[in-house]
Amino acid sequence: KNMPKMFPKKLDEDFVNLLLKENEGLKLEYKQQISSQEKIAKTLSAMSNTAGGMILIGISDHRKIIGIDPEEERYMITAANETYCVPMATLDLHVITIDPENLNEEEKYVLLVIVHATQDEPVSVKHSAGNLKIYRRIGDKSLAS
């Protein structure tokens, strides 16, 4: 099964709905929100060091769009990258607006994080003990190599 094209012309609600048909895997992860900067840094490291990929934030475990505060999540992902990733991962962040299903609801936002595969040295994660670990993506898991 082919992934949808990694860089469609428009990163919009239609693209999000296409993605949501896909299972999490090597190049795709869904998050409800970022609760731990150190944890998301492992995903950034693993995707960078494997094949690149996408993290879609604002999605429930059942792959429903629940939405997020885009500024909060943008801050969390940027801070995770700056604080824990050595060297920093190369990311593109896109806030995508999801229109309400009915007029009484407000629009929702999701954050699409595009993680570029590293060309040079691998991206390590700096742990609280000060040690650096390199992560790789194995299926839908981010594992220390």
Side-chain angles (χ1 to χ4, degrees), residues 34-42 75-77 79-80 83-84:
I34 296 171
S35 49
S36 157
Q37 290 182 15
E38 193 168 347
K39 259 200 203 138
I40 199 74
K42 294 176 186 177
Y75 166 78
M76 288 291 278
I77 201 101
T83 307
Y84 292 102

Side-chain angles (χ1 to χ4, degrees), residues 99-108:
D99 291 324
E101 285 172 19
N102 65 51
L103 295 174
N104 307 328
E105 292 177 18
E106 294 187 358
E107 56 194 13
K108 294 183 179 131

Side-chain angles (χ1 to χ4, degrees), residues 6 9 19 39 75 81 99 115:
M6 288 300 272
K9 289 196 179 53
L19 273 188
K39 259 200 203 138
Y75 166 78
N81 197 17
D99 291 324
V115 184

Side-chain angles (χ1 to χ4, degrees), residues 64-129:
K64 292 274 174 280
I65 297 170
I66 53 175
I68 38 119
D69 170 349
E71 288 315 308
E72 172 70 15
E73 300 305 314
R74 190 198 287 268
Y75 166 78
M76 288 291 278
I77 201 101
T78 304
N81 197 17
E82 289 172 355
T83 307
Y84 292 102
C85 294
V86 184
M88 286 185 0
T90 306
L91 308 177
D92 293 326
L93 305 182
H94 300 274
V95 175
I96 300 172
T97 304
I98 309 295
D99 291 324
E101 285 172 19
N102 65 51
L103 295 174
N104 307 328
E105 292 177 18
E106 294 187 358
E107 56 194 13
K108 294 183 179 131
Y109 300 98
V110 294
L111 180 64
L112 175 66
V113 181
I114 297 174
V115 184
H116 294 273
T118 177
Q119 302 305 318
D120 310 310
E121 58 179 315
V123 173
S124 300
V125 175
K126 185 165 46 185
H127 288 282
S128 34

